[in-house]
């Protein structure tokens, strides 16, 4: 998932109410784990496909968003091939037998994982982090009655997300500065690598603290006070678009329920 | 507008001897609509002074009064902050929003401004700073100068009476710097009170009045048009004179009737040529 | 050491967002012990070029030679890095040790020097940048900004680099600190034969020392040559959106108006004023 990599745009996906999108991702996740057969996954796969086509996000960005989970997907797939028994025998040698159930389960797990990551990325790619945290805190609002400081949490989240790219760039600079001085995380003795790690971590932490300090001053200067109520100017109202989205989502749920019942 | 009455401040006043405090016996008044520059070396206490102006820091002794309200009074602190905008050196560390418009709206959300008015004020601030085209961009995609304009816009939306620029031109490239200086000029013409903190005398010369801070004390307070009268002390404080100011000073010493002010190089030569033709 | 760029192209892999600057067809040579300056607006590719010259990135096309030798970039060939030091804009990106001495020793120790050698290198480096011995056991974090910079520079010099790449080395220093640093760099270049490549917005601080000036614009080399040659085309600079140093612009207009021939690479306003005084005197103004 690309965190903090919102790509601004005007597609209908961008215009949907963030709360609606967030709820949809929850429902979608539930459906992915509830449904067990590949036909259902084929239906569910329509969501990211249509979504990416509509969002205008490039294929490279899609690739980037799933790249981090490829390794995990491969490992899960191989584990199922090795460990799951059942069904008919597909291939047999003296030390290892490949069962059809292993193949099927492995495929399902991988498909499920990819669909989940793709759909969740779609949410973060088309919703600004601020809107997303607002939606989060809006949904969690009832918890405020029992004393959970939802607004402060939401602010913390959105700031953390905003600074990820800034800190990422800084880390790159620090890594290079220390590489020039002979630091390396991949080569040399363990002692050398640990010292290299230290040479990168300390400047990174110091830089984060320095930034946090300045940011706190800047926020206070802009009258931020966690105890005051804040207006939320992006508070979108639900539109006709959201209504259609809700209808389509219900249809999707209904058809999947029918499919499950059919089996 | 801003009054410092015998202000003393230190970050750890309990353990620091009095004569080494970060700021000592600062008394000054800034009139509404005045354009003031504050110069001094790194570590002279310039930024600390800026943070005292809107109650981010509170004086240990004496008091800071903004438009009749003491910053030490917690009942008025939010009003004081709304009146005083403070732009910092590093534009990256003062941007909160995920998009340009969101960042400008941040301060307005904090003061509980109604949504329709937020939209209006955000649009106004963006158009003033030439950022309208970037409204939905992420701040990471802006250049240094643009980021600093965004920082100014986010305060402008709060409609402050005073704008403080704390080394706001240090971390950006020459083009961005020239833009920011023009913006400061324009804000001054629009009636804002300006406090421009800088280590460059060339930039400070654009102000009407200049203060020099050295090791926590206010050492010089002069009108920029009268710089000649404080030339010697300025040299003692190792101030870096911009070349064109030095040229003007020399011409003056050679007996030419010329104002000592900062000029563009071509302007300088033209003026000299005219004086030469007269002789 | 001499560095040669031969028709170097560089592009970041396509999935790297946001879009990074790309370099096209960059060719130049930095002779041993020369003083080179690179200017260009933000996003023109200056820092990418520095990273290439440091051997931290590999060109997508063309080649980079250090003393006619090829080094492969990246961490994989760590022991065979070219002897190049890169001084980043803020010293805070590299300080991490408990004492100044250990900070400076980090580089030579990674190079596998013996303890006595390390000690020697640390002391030489400290004296080169003018850090007093008293500071050796202090924490680098408790130093002033100028001193931190000296520690950062010393920690690279202790590795005996033959080339120094510096990114805005004078930013944030006061007038005295700037002069000191320029003097030290001059000494390193003349006496130690170190090749310098400096990225800066403040040409005027080092004007008389510059052998070659490179102007980068949108990833292409827009101009390169001796500064007084390049300064003869002020319109070209305007097109590129780069301001000439104030003093250079002053000398150029002055030469024009008063039919003088003061060198465009003159860096000290005092010398210019002396010439001007002489001229005005000879014309009976004074």
């Amino acid at each position: 998932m690309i965190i903090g990599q919102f790509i601004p745009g005007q597609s209908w996906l961008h215009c949907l109410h963030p709360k609606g999108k967030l709820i949809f991702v929850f429902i979608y996740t539930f459906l992915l784990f509830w449904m067990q057969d590949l036909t259902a996954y084929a239906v569910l796969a329509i969501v990211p496909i249509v979504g990416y086509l509509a969002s205008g996000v490039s294929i490279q960005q899609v690739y980037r968003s799933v790249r981090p989970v490829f390794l995990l997907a491969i490992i899960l797939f191989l584990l199922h091939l090795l460990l799951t028994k059942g069904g008919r025998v597909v291939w047999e040698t003296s030390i290892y037998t490949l069962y059809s159930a292993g193949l099927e389960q492995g495929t399902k797990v991988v498909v499920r994982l990819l669909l989940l990551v793709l759909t969740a990325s779609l949410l973060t790619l088309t919703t600004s982090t601020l809107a997303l945290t607002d939606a989060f805190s809006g949904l969690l609002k009832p918890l405020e009655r029992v004393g959970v400081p939802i607004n402060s949490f939401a602010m913390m989240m959105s700031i953390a997300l905003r600074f990820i790219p800034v800190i990422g760039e800084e880390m790159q600079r620090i890594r290079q500065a220390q590489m020039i001085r002979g630091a390396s995380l991949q080569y040399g003795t363990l002692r050398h690598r640990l010292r290299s790690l230290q040479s990168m971590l300390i400047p990174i932490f110091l830089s984060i603290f320095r930034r946090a300090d300045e940011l706190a001053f800047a926020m206070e200067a802009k009258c931020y006070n966690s105890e005051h109520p804040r207006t939320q100017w992006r508070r979108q109202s639900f539109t006709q678009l959201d209504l259609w989205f809700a209808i389509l989502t219900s249809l999707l749920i209904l058809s999947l329920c029918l499919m499950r019942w059919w089996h | 507008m801003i009054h410092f009455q015998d202000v003393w401040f230190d970050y750890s006043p309990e353990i620091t001897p009095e004569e080494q405090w970060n700021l000592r016996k600062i008394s000054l008044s800034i009139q509404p609509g005045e354009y003031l520059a504050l110069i001094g070396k790194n570590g002279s206490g310039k930024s600390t002074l800026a943070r005292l102006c809107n109650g981010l820091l509170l004086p240990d002794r004496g008091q800071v009064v903004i438009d009749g309200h003491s910053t030490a009074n917690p009942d008025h602190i939010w009003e004081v902050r709304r009146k005083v905008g403070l732009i910092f050196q590093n534009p990256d560390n003062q941007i909160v929003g995920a998009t340009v418009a969101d960042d400008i709206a941040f301060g307005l959300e904090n003061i509980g401004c109604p949504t329709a008015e937020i939209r209006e004020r955000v649009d106004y601030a963006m158009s003033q700073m030439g950022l309208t085209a970037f409204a939905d961009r992420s701040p990471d995609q802006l250049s240094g100068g643009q980021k600093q304009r965004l920082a100014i816009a986010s305060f402008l939306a709060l409609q402050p009476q005073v704008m403080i620029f704390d080394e706001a031109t240090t971390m950006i490239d020459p083009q961005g710097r020239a833009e920011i200086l023009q913006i400061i000029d324009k804000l001054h013409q629009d009636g804002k009170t300006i406090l421009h903190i800088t280590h460059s005398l060339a930039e400070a010369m654009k102000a009407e009045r200049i203060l020099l801070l050295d090791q926590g004390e206010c050492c010089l307070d002069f009108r920029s048009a009268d710089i000649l009268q404080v030339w010697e002390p300025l040299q003692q404080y190792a101030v870096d004179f911009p070349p064109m100011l030095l040229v003007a000073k020399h011409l003056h010493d050679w007996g030419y009737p010329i104002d000592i002010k900062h000029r563009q190089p071509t302007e300088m030569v033209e003026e000299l040529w005219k004086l030469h033709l007269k002789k | 050491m001499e560095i040669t760029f031969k028709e170097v192209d560089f592009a970041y892999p396509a999935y790297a967002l946001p879009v990074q600057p790309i370099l096209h067809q960059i060719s130049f040579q930095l002779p041993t012990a020369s003083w080179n300056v690179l200017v260009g607006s933000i996003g023109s590719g200056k820092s990418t070029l520095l990273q290439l010259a440091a051997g931290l990135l590999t060109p997508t096309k063309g080649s980079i030679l250090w003393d006619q030798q090829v080094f492969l970039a990246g961490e994989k060939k760590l022991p065979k890095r070219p002897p190049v030091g890169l001084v980043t804009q803020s010293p805070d990106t590299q300080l991490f040790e408990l004492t100044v001495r250990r900070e400076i020793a980090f580089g030579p120790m990674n190079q596998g020097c013996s303890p006595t050698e390390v000690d020697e290198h640390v002391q030489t480096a400290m004296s080169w940048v003018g850090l007093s011995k008293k500071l050796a056991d202090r924490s680098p974090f408790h130093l002033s900004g100028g001193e931190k910079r000296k520690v950062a520079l010393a920690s690279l010099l202790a590795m005996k680099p033959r080339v120094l790449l510096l990114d805005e080395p004078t930013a944030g220093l006061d007038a005295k600190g700037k002069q000191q640093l320029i003097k030290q760099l001059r000494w390193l270049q003349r006496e130690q034969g170190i090749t310098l490549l400096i990225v800066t917005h403040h040409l005027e601080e080092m004007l008389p020392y510059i052998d070659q000036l490179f102007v980068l614009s949108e990833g292409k080399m827009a101009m390169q040559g001796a500064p007084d040659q390049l300064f003869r085309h002020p319109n070209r600079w305007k097109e590129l959106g780069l301001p000439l140093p104030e003093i250079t612009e002053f000398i150029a207009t002055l030469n024009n108006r008063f039919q003088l021939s003061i060198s465009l690479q003159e860096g000290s306003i005092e010398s210019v004023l002396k010439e001007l005084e002489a001229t005005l005197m000879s014309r009976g103004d004074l």
Side-chain angles (χ1 to χ4, degrees):
Chain A
M1 207 192 320
I2 310 173
I3 295 171
Q5 287 285 20
F6 167 55
I7 299 169
Q10 295 297 329
S11 73
W12 59 263
L13 252 177
H14 284 86
C15 298
L16 279 176
H17 197 286
K19 262 188 209 171
K21 279 191 274 189
L22 196 60
I23 294 172
F24 177 81
V25 170
F26 283 128
I27 295 174
Y28 187 81
T29 313
F30 171 76
L31 289 174
L32 269 180
F33 285 93
W34 189 51
M35 299 308 292
Q36 290 298 334
D37 59 317
L38 285 168
T39 3
Y41 291 152
V43 175
L44 283 168
I46 295 171
V47 173
I49 291 170
V50 171
Y52 277 108
L53 287 178
S55 67
V57 174
S58 75
I59 195 86
Q60 279 144 358
Q61 282 153 349
V62 178
Y63 167 69
R64 252 192 105 197
S65 66
V66 287
R67 202 169 47 131
V69 296
F70 272 158
L71 188 67
L72 183 66
I74 290 167
I75 291 172
L76 284 172
F77 186 67
L78 290 177
L79 277 177
H80 273 289
L81 290 194
L82 282 175
L83 302 174
T84 310
K85 296 189 167 59
R88 64 194 169 78
V89 174
V90 179
W91 186 57
E92 197 170 12
T93 63
S94 54
I95 44 165
Y96 169 70
T97 318
L98 175 62
Y99 294 98
S100 63
L103 209 55
E104 203 186 313
Q105 282 299 324
T107 314
K108 276 183 193 168
V109 165
V110 169
V111 168
R112 203 185 278 161
L113 185 68
L114 289 182
L115 286 180
L116 179 63
V117 171
L118 280 171
T119 309
S121 304
L122 207 51
L123 174 72
T124 54
L125 280 167
T126 61
T127 319
S128 81
T129 48
L130 211 68
L132 207 56
T133 43
D134 277 351
F136 247 120
S137 58
L139 290 175
L140 295 176
K141 203 95 198 163
L143 284 178
E144 220 163 41
R145 295 229 184 98
V146 289
V148 185
I150 296 298
N151 278 332
S152 303
F153 271 132
M155 187 49 73
M156 252 162 58
M157 280 279 290
S158 70
I159 286 171
L161 291 175
R162 140 105 181 86
F163 272 85
I164 283 173
V166 178
I167 302 220
E169 236 169 73
E170 182 103 329
M171 278 166 76
Q172 183 70 11
R173 262 200 300 276
I174 290 170
R175 207 176 65 97
Q176 289 192 341
Q178 303 296 20
M179 263 166 71
I180 286 282
R181 298 171 76 198
S184 165
L185 298 178
Q186 279 108 317
Y187 297 89
T189 60
L190 184 66
R191 209 180 109 90
H192 175 224
R193 280 190 243 179
L194 280 177
R195 259 177 70 75
S196 301
L197 185 66
Q198 182 198 3
S199 78
M200 293 176 204
L201 284 183
I202 292 178
I204 288 170
F205 274 111
L206 286 176
S207 139
I208 291 174
F209 288 140
R210 211 173 14 248
R211 281 180 193 282
D213 202 42
E214 262 186 53
L215 183 71
F217 271 124
M219 284 172 69
E220 254 191 85
K222 288 184 210 175
C223 305
Y224 178 71
N225 179 348
S226 57
E227 282 145 35
H228 280 191
R230 305 179 68 235
T231 12
Q232 276 164 0
W233 82 303
R234 289 265 187 208
R235 176 168 294 158
Q236 272 172 315
S237 41
F238 286 91
T239 59
Q240 211 162 14
L241 189 67
D242 294 298
L243 184 69
W244 281 110
F245 184 58
I247 293 172
L248 282 173
T249 309
S250 317
L251 280 177
L252 180 74
I253 298 170
L254 200 69
S255 57
L256 286 168
C257 285
L258 282 173
M259 270 175 81
R260 204 177 151 89
W261 179 66
W262 195 261
H263 274 267
Chain B
M1 193 74 226
I2 299 181
H3 298 279
F4 277 60
Q5 292 162 6
D6 193 26
V7 168
W8 292 65
F9 176 84
D10 195 74
Y11 285 96
S12 39
E14 305 84 11
I15 53 169
T16 316
E18 215 169 67
E19 64 277 9
Q20 285 174 21
W21 277 25
N22 292 95
L23 286 177
R24 298 183 301 278
K25 47 186 181 207
I26 306 284
S27 288
L28 66 99
S29 290
I30 306 176
Q31 302 308 317
E34 198 173 2
Y35 183 174
L36 184 79
L38 182 62
I39 56 174
K41 284 187 222 129
N42 294 336
S44 59
K46 296 182 306 240
S47 297
T48 312
L49 193 140
R51 288 169 189 199
L52 283 162
C53 287
N54 66 350
L56 287 176
L57 299 173
L58 296 175
D60 293 305
R61 273 187 231 159
Q63 63 172 344
V64 179
V65 179
I66 309 293
D67 207 13
H69 300 299
S70 163
T71 55
N73 184 341
D75 295 338
H76 292 147
I77 188 70
W78 301 107
E79 206 170 323
V80 164
R81 293 215 176 127
R82 219 193 290 192
K83 284 192 172 135
V84 181
L86 175 54
I87 289 103
F88 294 93
Q89 180 175 11
N90 187 341
D92 264 328
N93 296 351
Q94 45 186 327
I95 295 171
V96 188
T99 67
V100 169
D102 280 340
D103 188 63
I104 301 173
F106 173 77
L108 297 167
E109 292 177 313
N110 291 337
I111 60 169
C113 199
T115 314
E117 200 185 330
I118 292 188
R119 175 143 298 285
E120 220 168 84
R121 288 214 214 170
V122 168
D123 284 345
Y124 175 76
M126 285 196 299
S127 72
Q128 286 290 299
M129 291 297 114
L131 291 169
T132 310
F134 303 101
D136 290 318
R137 293 260 193 105
S138 152
D140 302 312
Q141 296 170 357
L142 304 181
S143 73
Q146 288 167 338
K147 280 183 195 168
Q148 206 57 293
R149 288 204 320 249
L150 171 57
I152 298 173
S154 65
F155 280 107
L156 208 55
L158 288 166
Q159 301 175 343
Q161 293 167 15
V162 185
M163 293 282 259
I164 303 177
F165 295 83
D166 185 2
E167 303 253 11
T169 53
T170 315
M171 289 184 74
I172 46 186
D173 61 326
Q175 285 147 281
R177 188 172 313 155
E179 269 173 29
I180 300 295
L181 288 172
Q182 270 175 15
I183 286 172
I184 296 179
D185 255 347
K186 184 167 167 290
L187 291 172
H188 174 234
Q189 278 157 22
D190 291 348
K192 305 259 188 240
T193 310
I194 305 282
L195 176 57
H196 180 39
I197 297 174
T198 172
H199 57 251
S200 145
L201 186 59
E203 286 183 12
M205 284 300 282
K206 289 184 174 270
E208 300 161 328
R209 185 176 146 208
I210 302 177
L211 286 178
L212 181 123
L213 213 59
D214 189 62
Q215 293 174 20
E217 279 181 51
C218 191
C219 299
L220 290 175
D221 182 348
F222 58 97
R223 308 209 64 75
S224 51
D226 303 333
I227 189 168
L228 207 54
Q229 289 161 18
V230 289
W231 198 271
E232 294 277 310
L234 276 175
Q235 272 175 329
Q236 273 170 31
Y237 290 113
V239 170
D240 199 2
F241 288 98
M244 289 309 111
L245 201 60
L246 281 174
V247 173
K249 166 77 163 61
H250 273 81
L251 293 182
H252 177 268
D253 288 355
W254 294 339
Y256 287 99
I258 188 171
D259 299 339
I260 312 288
K261 62 169 190 187
H262 191 62
R263 295 171 177 82
Q264 290 304 313
T266 40
E267 251 179 279
M268 187 77 238
V269 173
E270 285 317 310
E271 201 153 334
L272 174 57
W273 183 246
K274 269 184 220 145
L275 291 169
H276 171 65
L277 288 182
K278 263 189 214 160
K279 284 233 171 173
Chain C
M1 168 171 271
E2 145 193 304
I3 298 187
T4 315
F5 272 54
K6 280 189 183 160
E7 301 184 346
V8 169
D9 277 15
F10 182 81
Y12 285 95
Y15 55 79
L17 295 168
V19 183
Q20 304 267 11
I22 298 169
L23 295 175
H24 296 286
Q25 292 287 309
I26 305 287
S27 296
F28 62 82
Q29 192 173 33
L30 312 180
T32 307
S34 58
W35 185 303
N36 308 279
V37 169
L38 177 64
V39 296
S41 44
I42 286 180
S44 57
K46 285 175 298 178
S47 25
T48 310
L49 197 145
L50 278 195
Q51 288 167 17
L52 282 164
L56 288 165
L57 298 172
T58 322
T60 17
K61 256 193 227 150
S63 58
I64 303 173
L65 302 175
W66 288 267
D67 270 350
Q68 305 306 322
Q69 228 188 319
V70 181
F71 286 84
L72 288 175
E75 283 167 291
K76 288 180 186 151
K77 296 285 169 190
L78 190 70
K80 280 203 71 185
R81 294 195 53 78
V84 176
L86 175 65
V87 185
T88 47
Q89 224 183 90
S90 109
D92 298 314
T93 52
Q94 48 170 287
L95 303 180
F96 71 99
E97 274 287 11
L98 290 172
T99 66
V100 168
R101 189 197 308 279
R102 293 180 53 156
E103 187 70 56
I104 301 173
F106 181 67
M109 276 163 78
N110 286 334
Q111 285 176 320
C113 295
S114 73
T116 45
E117 273 175 324
V118 170
D119 232 40
E120 223 171 87
H121 289 348
V122 170
Q123 286 194 2
T124 330
M126 282 183 75
S127 69
W128 278 5
V129 300
L131 270 173
S132 101
K133 279 188 185 139
K134 278 179 277 177
L135 295 179
D137 294 307
R138 292 263 296 277
S139 155
F141 296 106
H142 292 159
L143 302 177
S144 73
E147 285 165 338
K148 277 186 191 169
R149 241 163 232 269
K150 286 182 182 174
V151 174
L153 183 58
S155 67
L156 288 167
L157 289 175
M159 298 175 76
K160 303 276 167 207
R162 302 311 305 147
V163 180
L164 271 185
L165 311 171
L166 302 107
D167 193 356
E168 291 286 351
T170 57
L173 291 178
D174 57 17
K176 219 175 109 201
K178 281 177 192 168
Q179 279 169 12
Q180 238 180 23
L181 179 73
I182 301 290
K183 238 170 89 187
Q184 275 154 6
L185 291 176
R186 180 69 171 161
W187 184 82
L188 289 168
Q189 177 220 356
R190 306 276 312 238
E191 304 302 321
Q192 299 298 321
I194 290 178
T195 312
L196 299 175
L197 175 58
I198 303 174
V199 167
T200 183
H201 288 308
H202 302 279
L203 281 173
E204 65 279 5
E205 289 160 358
M206 49 192 81
L207 220 38
Y209 305 141
I210 305 175
D211 296 316
Q212 282 191 97
L213 185 57
F214 299 94
V215 183
L216 209 56
S217 170
E218 290 167 7
K220 295 194 185 97
M221 201 57 91
M223 289 193 269
Q224 68 185 74
D228 58 345
Q229 294 298 318
L230 302 193
F231 289 154
R232 281 168 212 267
H233 311 285
N235 288 334
R236 188 86 182 89
W237 288 74
K238 230 169 255 162
E239 276 166 36
L240 296 168
L242 293 167
L244 279 178
E246 223 172 50
I247 180 166
T248 313
E249 215 183 319
F250 181 64
I251 297 172
T253 25
L254 202 61
N255 281 349
N256 227 337
R257 262 291 183 220
F258 288 81
Q259 303 295 308
L260 303 177
S261 52
I262 307 172
S263 159
L264 289 174
Q265 226 177 315
E266 179 57 61
S268 123
I269 194 76
E270 278 80 9
S271 330
V272 180
L273 282 166
K274 234 172 240 158
E275 287 219 26
L276 182 62
E277 190 177 13
T279 315
L280 291 172
M281 229 167 335
S282 70
R283 296 189 186 185
D285 265 26
L286 301 178

